[in-house]
Amino acid sequence: TEDGQRSYRVRVAPPSGLSYAHDIAEKYGVTAKINKFSIMAPCGEEFKKAAESSGFTFIDHIRTGEFVPKGFTKATGIKAVLDHFGASRDAVTAFGDSMNDYDMLSFANVGVAMGNAVDELKSAADVVTSSVADDGVADYINNVLLISERRKS
């Protein structure tokens, strides 16, 4: 990235005997500040405890999980971009399919859940479109543009 940070993706089975995110990073030679740590395996309660004890929030996706620094979400990232450009959240439409998208969809002016999203996210969204596999983002954009064009006529 511009500020010299790197993104690492480590795919391993749930680590045994490691209880902190920094222990995991050290084991795999990650020396950069961790901004997000994904686990591509079923996650149990031990991951939540490890996250909390090391300054992270754990988001459980049943078959995967994420360690994210406490206080940071996709919504805080969008807000930082809006603040930088002096823009309003009225300009934001966000798309998501997983619980790590919840805060982002709630923050956006229009939160769009994908058809394959978990039910809890669909309930929180303003709109549900078709699934990722069925080009849900394109479907939503095309429908919004078609409606806008019809209203102009």
Side-chain angles (χ1 to χ4, degrees):
T1 63
E2 255 182 56
D3 60 1
Q5 293 184 11
R6 294 184 183 162
S7 175
Y8 296 88
R9 182 164 276 196
V10 178
R11 292 178 184 247
V12 295
S16 60
L18 298 174
S19 59
Y20 298 98
H22 66 270
D23 292 337
I24 296 167
E26 185 176 303
K27 177 175 173 61
Y28 293 99
V30 177
T31 57
K33 178 181 175 190
I34 298 174
N35 293 314
K36 177 180 170 183
F37 188 89
S38 298
I39 308 277
M40 303 301 180
C43 300
E45 189 65 25
E46 71 274 10
F47 285 97
K48 183 176 182 179
K49 290 177 185 173
E52 289 173 355
S53 67
S54 56
F56 288 80
T57 298
F58 182 73
I59 302 168
D60 191 347
H61 301 289
I62 300 171
R63 290 180 295 278
T64 65
E66 296 176 331
F67 285 69
V68 180
K70 283 185 181 171
F72 291 92
T73 65
K74 291 180 181 183
T76 59
I78 291 171
K79 184 173 181 338
V81 170
L82 293 174
D83 289 348
H84 177 79
F85 289 104
S88 163
R89 67 175 241 180
D90 293 341
V92 177
T93 298
F95 297 83
D97 64 354
S98 184
M99 287 310 292
N100 67 341
D101 300 318
Y102 186 92
D103 290 337
M104 174 181 66
L105 295 192
S106 298
F107 175 79
N109 183 44
V110 180
V112 183
M114 306 305 293
N116 57 291
V118 296
D119 289 338
E120 188 176 349
L121 190 67
K122 287 179 182 177
S123 296
D126 299 305
V127 179
V128 177
T129 188
S130 50
S131 72
V132 170
D134 293 327
D135 299 322
V137 174
D139 285 350
Y140 177 82
I141 292 170
N142 285 332
N143 288 329
V144 168
L145 292 176
L146 287 173
I147 291 168
S148 292
E149 287 302 314
R150 286 185 191 142
R151 286 184 181 162
K152 289 180 184 175
S153 325

